[in-house]
Amino acid sequence: MHDDAANHLAFERARLVLPGGVNSPVRAYGSVGGDPRFVSSASGPYIRDVTGTEYVDLVCSWGPALLGHAHPAVVEAVQEAAARGLSFGAPTLGEVELAEEIRRRVPAAEHVRLVSTGTEATMTAVRLARGATGRPLIVKFAGCYHGHVDSLLAEAGSGVANQALPGSAGVTEATASETLVLPYNDLEAVEQAFAERGSEIAAVITEAAPANMGIVPPLPGFNEGLRRITTAHGALLIFDEVLTGFRVSASGWWGYETSTLGASYTPDLFTFGKVVGGGMPVAAIGGPSVLMDLLAPLGPVYQAGTLSGNPVAVAAGRATLAAADASVYARVDEVSTTIADATSAALSAEGVAHRVQRSGNLFSVMFGDLAQEVGTRSYAQVQASDTFRYPPFFHAMLDAGVNLPPSVYEAWFVSAAHDDTAVGRILDALPGAAKAAAAARR
């Protein structure tokens, strides 16, 4: 692996003014080593670093770039909105139109509140659940990441997993005690928790299809089981679709699971982010009006934000969703299948025990015999996998001009802009990366 001088110098400069040299921990390459690439521009399926080196991008801004980077329609919409003013602190028709499109795609989201980040969305959903039920406890699952909300950082995936932290300093014991952490895909554990403390539990929050401990799909019937248990005990079910919403299908994982996989259930609340903002800071909470109208100004649950529904940001979201038609999802599905299958074939050719796990068009690689034999179904199993094989695999791909997520705990993302040329470059890089993974030692 190599770290060119320009990126190294940029990282050194950043560390003089930014904690760890980054503004979000996973960007620091802590789990793969080396210096992060400092991006100077991006277009379509490619990013370019400060040296001008081009990479095929399989991060896609952690999901928002469904159409590809700098899609012309999105850029034009942002430029036009910016020319009219950057922020008003007042209602605009743009935010109404974005909320209407969210409801059109997810009819269960009768009323929508726009916020700026996924963390803000999940924080608001949890507060709303407590306000609606009058109960204090929240159930979450180990390995599911719901943003850096104090009470939801216990045994989180994503950046917390990358830093090998069980939670976070600064979260008080009193706050942590309001969260019950259960193993994912274990309905018996959920049943037991509700049998013991059901009258205290306000809600279960879960990633609709977890993508922050790598991809760990919900077992058939798991989400329906959560709906059954929460309904029986008068608790709410919160679906975190910050990553999956409007990416795995036009209506997110809930739409995918109910329309394609034959499930039949409806969560109480949804949180959306990433794609809904098209690369700009937009997120949302949605649900039935009877719940959502408990938010201020109609109800007693307070939430506010100066930049909520920012006119420039919602313009990017509206343009992205307007362009995300059936052909976009078909192309993303096709490309993800091609890359996932080729990745598995390359690793198999080198004798590397693994499984490429998928939730719709999201996928990631799990290394090890257990993963290969039965798949990884929980955070504990992910942590027990052969994660040491990922850093050399990652750097071999990077050296070959392919930008992967800098952590085994993250999902791979493709876009509709990944044409045959970009996909070909990925396929050409995989055999060398598979050799690097095979040669890895603990």
Side-chain angles (χ1 to χ4, degrees), residues 113-137:
R113 173 62 59 89
L114 299 181
V115 293
S116 297
T117 68
T119 292
E120 195 178 354
T122 56
M123 176 182 70
T124 302
V126 165
R127 183 180 301 165
L128 183 55
R130 286 180 168 138
T133 63
R135 300 173 180 179
L137 297 183

Side-chain angles (χ1 to χ4, degrees), residues 141-146 157-158 184-185 205-219 222-223 226 239-241 243-244 248 253 257 357-360 362-364 366 376-379 382 409-411 413:
F141 296 101
C144 285
Y145 178 69
H146 305 292
S158 191
Y184 188 70
N185 271 325
I205 185 169
T206 182
E207 287 187 68
N212 285 288
M213 49 178 156
I215 297 299
V216 177
L219 292 174
F222 179 71
N223 285 330
L226 295 180
F239 247 32
D240 183 341
E241 294 230 37
L243 275 178
T244 54
V248 297
W253 182 262
E257 196 168 37
Q357 300 204 158
R358 303 188 61 186
S359 290
L362 299 180
F363 60 98
S364 68
M366 301 291 183
T376 49
R377 302 174 179 177
S378 69
Y379 190 37
V382 172
Y409 292 103
E410 305 289 354
F413 298 92

Side-chain angles (χ1 to χ4, degrees), residues 24-35:
S24 190
V26 70
R27 301 176 191 174
Y29 279 28
S31 70
V32 293
D35 293 334

Side-chain angles (χ1 to χ4, degrees), residues 72-139:
V74 178
V75 172
E76 181 181 2
V78 169
Q79 289 173 334
E80 290 180 353
R84 294 190 296 269
L86 300 181
S87 181
F88 309 129
T92 68
L93 285 178
E95 59 191 316
V96 177
E97 291 166 359
L98 180 57
E100 288 172 340
E101 177 61 15
I102 293 170
R103 185 174 65 180
R104 187 187 71 79
R105 288 169 171 250
V106 183
E110 294 176 347
H111 282 187
V112 174
R113 173 62 59 89
L114 299 181
V115 293
S116 297
T117 68
T119 292
E120 195 178 354
T122 56
M123 176 182 70
T124 302
V126 165
R127 183 180 301 165
L128 183 55
R130 286 180 168 138
T133 63
R135 300 173 180 179
L137 297 183
I138 301 295
V139 170

Side-chain angles (χ1 to χ4, degrees), residues 370-442:
L370 177 64
Q372 180 167 286
E373 291 168 8
V374 298
T376 49
R377 302 174 179 177
S378 69
Y379 190 37
Q381 291 177 345
V382 172
Q383 291 177 306
S385 66
D386 292 347
T387 57
F388 66 91
R389 296 196 185 278
Y390 189 76
F393 180 87
F394 166 86
H395 279 285
M397 293 292 284
L398 192 67
D399 290 345
V402 179
N403 183 51
L404 296 182
S407 167
V408 73
Y409 292 103
E410 305 289 354
W412 298 20
F413 298 92
V414 303
S415 78
H418 281 72
D419 57 16
D420 292 346
T421 299
V423 172
R425 288 175 58 174
I426 297 167
L427 302 190
D428 290 344
L430 283 169
K435 291 182 183 296
R441 297 292 180 266
R442 292 185 187 275

Side-chain angles (χ1 to χ4, degrees), residues 129-178:
R130 286 180 168 138
T133 63
R135 300 173 180 179
L137 297 183
I138 301 295
V139 170
K140 67 153 290 191
F141 296 101
C144 285
Y145 178 69
H146 305 292
H148 59 95
V149 182
D150 280 8
S151 61
L152 300 179
L153 275 175
E155 293 193 58
S158 191
V160 175
N162 297 328
Q163 300 297 312
L165 300 172
S168 173
V171 177
T172 66
E173 289 185 13
T175 298
S177 69
E178 294 177 340

